[in-house]
Amino acid sequence: MNEITRPQHRERVLTAVLEREYGLTVQELQPLPEQGLLGDVWTLNHTLVVKRPRLGGGAWQPEGNVLFSSLLMNALHSAGLPVPEVHPNLHGQYVTVVPNWGSVQVMTRLSAPPDAPSLPPRELAQLLGGHAAHIARAGTAWFRRQDLPAPLSQDPWSVDSIHTQLLHIFQLEEGSSASSQRHKLFQLAERLKHHPLAPSELTEELEDAGPLHALEECRRLARHPQRSAPDAVVHNDLKPGNVFIQSQPQPSIVGSYDYTMASWCSLVRNVSSTYIDSGWFTEDRKGGTFDLLERLAAGHQQQLPLTAHHMQALAVDLHTVALKKYMLRWNYWKGVLAGATAGTHLAQICTLKPLEFLKPVRETTLAMDAQHCLHDALLTS
């Protein structure tokens, strides 16, 4: 564990930043159970949440679009949606960058309702679909009123961006020979073999040149005629663990958070990303149906209809989201090898399999079957 990953060091640095950059008096700084793969999270004086978005791949850069997410959350908060409000620092900035350490966001704390129900997956899927649509409607209206510079308006999870990030993660050069690329993958496989917690499937994936296949998939999907163009703001990480639900007077979502991955992309991503991130892709596979997909899409459709073009893009977008998961999980392991990950984060990463979603999308007709099912279900609803 290096100095940057030590909890005591993180909290010393954070306390100094909060006092110097925000003018806050730090009385209590308490780590939250939500500490996870997308960042470190603390409560500050019981009323605020402080987040240090996760650093990726040893490059000490935050994953996701942190400034975009801050602006979006404040726009959604102003529109009346139950999301945290991000507080600016003394310089009017919503993100404070600390060189060689990371970024800091300070926001209001959402409180979980005392009567949070345990809903059956079908009902939960419909609720999440509707909430995703509310976010997209308000977020898109805000986005269209802005003149955001290119880095903020671009989708970091498009197949083009995933392709670029995969090249960076594996230190591959576009256009270099296959033998040179395979040699670099073999070198990384040898490093992973000596890591006591790295599962064997990681080295096998590298020895089989799996990342080269993923890069080719990115190139193919980028040219696919059914790829949907960006037309909406999407949360991109909406799942049961990122919302608060109350039971009275009827089950409803009363809070959502973790907007770090939000971006301007295709509206169909509301369905494909939530379907995979919530684990319902896996559940439907086990059950041999697309029941949860239908409920998710139905909830969305009631609030913000998907077009026929969106429906036709679902298979491509499910594949894109599976590639995003593949890329992110390899980036987590790159952080492990760089010494940027330790403790509970390391334990979490060791349970993640880069091929968990990509393999079934590659080897079966699931994505296309899901697209046909969604198309038929929405046309007959």
Side-chain angles (χ1 to χ4, degrees):
M1 184 184 297
N2 64 33
E3 184 68 3
I4 291 180
T5 62
R6 293 181 187 277
Q8 300 91 335
H9 176 79
R10 288 200 302 266
E11 291 175 13
R12 282 200 307 272
V13 172
L14 188 58
T15 297
V17 170
L18 293 171
E19 292 177 346
R20 182 182 67 248
E21 300 295 331
Y22 290 85
L24 294 168
T25 300
V26 179
Q27 297 172 334
E28 183 178 29
L29 193 61
Q30 186 69 32
L32 280 176
E34 288 85 351
Q35 297 253 9
L37 293 173
L38 287 183
D40 301 317
V41 188
W42 297 262
T43 58
L44 172 62
N45 303 341
H46 303 287
T47 59
L48 298 174
V49 166
V50 181
K51 184 172 183 180
R52 174 190 178 228
R54 188 188 179 282
L55 304 173
W60 311 115
Q61 296 295 319
E63 292 181 344
N65 198 330
V66 182
L67 179 55
F68 182 89
S69 72
S70 300
L71 297 172
L72 172 62
M73 282 191 285
N74 283 0
L76 296 177
H77 180 83
S78 297
L81 273 72
V83 304
E85 181 181 16
V86 181
H87 293 229
N89 62 21
L90 296 175
H91 310 287
Q93 300 164 330
Y94 291 106
V95 181
T96 301
V97 178
V98 183
N100 299 317
W101 190 80
S103 302
V104 173
Q105 287 175 302
V106 177
M107 61 194 77
T108 52
R109 183 182 183 185
L110 298 180
S111 297
D115 63 340
S118 178
L119 298 179
R122 283 169 53 88
E123 190 172 353
L124 186 54
Q126 186 140 357
L127 278 180
L128 275 183
H131 190 66
H134 285 308
I135 293 169
R137 180 187 288 111
T140 301
W142 160 77
F143 183 91
R144 293 190 185 281
R145 295 193 299 268
Q146 309 304 307
D147 185 20
L148 299 177
L152 292 180
S153 60
Q154 291 173 342
D155 179 15
W157 317 119
S158 69
V159 286
D160 312 274
S161 297
I162 293 168
H163 183 274
T164 299
Q165 292 178 73
L166 283 172
L167 288 173
H168 175 73
I169 289 167
F170 296 106
Q171 297 182 325
L172 303 175
E173 294 181 12
E174 184 71 46
S176 60
S177 67
S179 60
S180 171
Q181 292 178 336
R182 285 176 179 270
H183 179 67
K184 288 192 174 183
L185 296 180
F186 289 152
Q187 287 180 317
L188 182 56
E190 288 301 313
R191 289 181 64 194
L192 279 170
K193 284 178 182 177
H194 292 92
H195 195 286
L197 298 177
S200 60
E201 67 182 65
L202 294 181
T203 56
E204 292 168 2
E205 171 71 359
L206 293 172
E207 291 170 348
D208 292 339
L212 301 187
H213 300 308
L215 286 165
E216 178 53 39
E217 288 171 282
C218 289
R219 290 189 285 267
R220 178 171 58 81
L221 291 175
R223 301 188 300 267
H224 201 288
Q226 290 182 328
R227 179 187 180 189
S228 184
D231 61 357
V233 169
V234 170
H235 184 289
N236 260 324
D237 195 26
L238 197 62
K239 54 191 176 186
N242 284 343
V243 298
F244 289 137
I245 300 173
Q246 69 178 16
S247 59
Q248 299 297 330
Q250 61 184 10
S252 59
I253 292 175
V254 293
S256 58
Y257 50 94
D258 225 342
Y259 280 75
T260 308
M261 289 195 170
S263 71
W264 174 250
C265 56
S266 170
L267 186 62
V268 74
R269 186 70 52 82
N270 259 345
V271 174
S272 56
S273 181
T274 304
Y275 188 49
I276 285 182
D277 286 332
S278 297
W280 296 329
F281 176 76
T282 304
E283 289 301 308
D284 274 352
R285 281 181 62 209
K286 291 177 182 176
T289 71
F290 291 103
D291 186 47
L292 295 174
L293 173 66
E294 291 180 21
R295 302 297 293 183
L296 171 66
H300 195 286
Q301 201 76 349
Q302 289 174 0
Q303 305 299 330
L304 185 61
L306 296 161
T307 67
H309 182 68
H310 290 132
M311 297 179 211
Q312 292 166 0
L314 180 65
V316 169
D317 214 64
L318 283 171
H319 200 153
T320 300
V321 174
L323 281 164
K324 179 189 83 169
K325 304 289 276 190
Y326 178 86
M327 179 271 295
L328 283 173
R329 291 178 175 192
W330 272 115
N331 204 27
Y332 299 153
W333 272 104
K334 190 74 178 291
V336 170
L337 293 176
T341 310
T344 56
H345 290 192
L346 180 56
Q348 286 177 295
I349 288 171
C350 291
T351 67
L352 300 179
K353 302 175 181 178
L355 285 168
E356 180 179 357
F357 302 104
L358 188 55
K359 188 174 182 180
V361 168
R362 279 175 172 171
E363 298 179 356
T364 71
T365 60
L366 276 171
M368 189 56 71
D369 292 344
Q371 177 173 305
H372 292 323
C373 173
L374 178 64
H375 183 269
D376 293 345
L378 294 185
L379 284 182
T380 56
S381 61

